[in-house]
Amino acid sequence: MTKATDILELYLKLMSGERLTKAQIGETISNKSARTVQRYIANLNEFLTTRRDTEYLKIVMNPTDKKYEMRRDDNKSFDKDQILAILKILIASRGLSKEEIRHVIDNLTEKISDNNREKIAKAINSELIHYAPMNHGEPLFNKIWELNQCIQEGKAIEFEYFNAMNRGRLHIIKPMYITYSELYFYLVGVNEKEQVLIFRVDRIQEYKVIQETIQVPSSPYIKEGELKKRIYFMYGGEWKKVTFEFNGGIIESVLDRFPTARLLKKDYSNNRFVVEVEVIGDGILMWLLSQGARIKVLSPQNLKEKHIAEIKKMLLNYE
């Protein structure tokens, strides 16, 4: 084989995940000497660093078993501006403990320049000083990872779960996915009755993997993306369409809040709109109430009645 063919052969093997000793590489490239192998590796590394789409790759020798492998420097996939944006979002979410946040910051900023690290530290310093994590105070990294392993392996789990009233109950489910919404991480799973249930991850006590087959129903809950577009404050319930008038507010904020929103009527000059959204459950009621007099629920009738009843209860607090 020609030199070009030899180098390409080596590149393809390493890119496919193979790990090779220097002797094995020599055999791969027409029984070349150790010195030639070293030169070919150097040539490949030089090539990788000159291209933007491969600059994060490098061929290195693992000192443990003296085998060469292709390594990916994942930190290089983030630029300083990306790191700053990610950290701003993460800190604002308040979903992790202070220790976990600091651990993420250290990992993300480890391989950027000292100057850029200092700039990022200055940009987030005030938020870190005043950072207020959730009251549960539980580190979640390990639990989220282990639950994700159960999901990917299709295993059923058994655990005790304590609700908002601190009442415990034993559950057996097949976990489907983990999601984040409104300050908390949630686990969505299916029980033996093929019901889709939602659990806050921090309220799940020690769990164990069990040998049980649970059928997954045909449900909109099963698709995480579809669920996130329609569920609010992680309240379960029926899939439905809600129509309401929105008057005197910023309509863009409504369209951003509800990915499924459609404007049925729009009067930009008078800032009056009729909006239709697809939702799951009655979690939307909390948002409707937060908008005060800007909102008038049109349908469905049962949600409209709940909205009116809640407003009347609020008025009673001032009598």
Side-chain angles (χ1 to χ4, degrees), residues 118-137:
E118 288 174 10
K119 288 180 179 178
I120 289 175
K122 186 176 180 180
I124 63 176
N125 182 57
S126 178
E127 290 171 288
L128 281 181
I129 291 173
H130 301 286
Y131 182 73
M134 295 296 94
N135 288 321
H136 61 73

Side-chain angles (χ1 to χ4, degrees), residues 134-191:
M134 295 296 94
N135 288 321
H136 61 73
E138 182 184 357
L140 295 174
F141 278 160
N142 288 339
K143 184 184 282 187
I144 289 170
W145 181 261
E146 290 169 0
L147 287 171
N148 184 64
Q149 287 289 97
C150 294
I151 292 167
Q152 295 195 5
E153 294 169 7
K155 294 178 178 177
I157 59 173
E158 179 183 278
F159 59 90
E160 189 171 15
Y161 183 79
F162 286 85
N163 62 19
M165 306 302 293
N166 204 32
R167 293 173 182 161
R169 181 182 170 186
L170 194 67
H171 289 273
I172 295 175
I173 67 164
K174 180 177 183 179
M176 301 305 299
Y177 56 84
I178 296 168
T179 189
Y180 181 84
S181 178
E182 312 294 343
L183 303 176
Y184 303 106
F185 286 94
Y186 292 88
L187 176 67
V188 179
V190 180
N191 66 9

